[in-house]
């Protein structure tokens, strides 16, 4: 028997699968899926573009501040960049598959 999902259930399932850079586990590599540019202030958006942030770019969270609202350090290419949490929330990512053990 095949389960039929309502559109609301399918949307909730999709939302559960999506991650933002803020919620990406530490040391887990991922690919930037989308950036919600409209959620960012113009100087922040410009800075991200200058640093090479865009869809399809590889990224990894290296460190989070122990304080809940502190910055997140991430690696993009060979750079380490600190981002405010509000900026990290605007970046959707797709985790890379874990290596087989």
């Amino acid at each position: 028997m095949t389960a039929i999902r309502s559109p609301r259930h399918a949307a909730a399932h999709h939302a559960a699968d999506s991650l933002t850079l803020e919620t990406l586990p530490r040391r887990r590599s991922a690919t930037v899926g989308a950036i919600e540019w409209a959620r960012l202030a113009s100087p922040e958006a410009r800075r991200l573009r200058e640093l090479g942030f865009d869809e399809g770019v590889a990224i990894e969270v290296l460190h989070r501040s122990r304080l809940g609202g502190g910055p997140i350090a991430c690696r993009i290419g060979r750079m380490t960049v600190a981002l405010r949490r509000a900026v990290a929330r605007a970046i959707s990512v797709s985790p890379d598959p874990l290596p087989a053990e």
Side-chain angles (χ1 to χ4, degrees):
M1 178 172 196
T2 304
I4 298 174
R5 292 185 182 179
S6 69
R8 186 182 339 179
H9 181 75
H13 180 71
H14 177 68
D17 290 345
S18 65
L19 287 176
T20 64
L21 186 57
E22 181 186 35
T23 59
L24 181 69
R26 232 175 112 248
R27 298 289 181 189
R28 178 80 189 268
S29 59
T31 303
V32 174
I35 300 173
E36 294 181 54
W37 298 108
R39 290 181 61 182
L40 303 173
S42 182
E44 289 173 324
R46 184 173 45 254
R47 176 177 173 247
L48 288 184
R49 286 184 178 109
E50 289 170 352
L51 292 171
F53 279 80
D54 205 354
E55 288 82 9
V57 171
I59 196 161
E60 176 185 6
V61 172
L62 301 175
H63 180 74
R64 285 186 174 79
S65 171
R66 294 212 188 272
L67 303 174
I72 296 173
C74 61
R75 176 177 294 134
I76 176 170
R78 293 177 17 197
M79 293 182 294
T80 300
V81 179
L83 298 174
R84 293 183 318 113
R85 295 215 181 220
V87 173
R89 270 192 297 273
I91 302 171
S92 297
V93 297
S94 298
D96 295 341
L98 292 172
E101 294 186 19

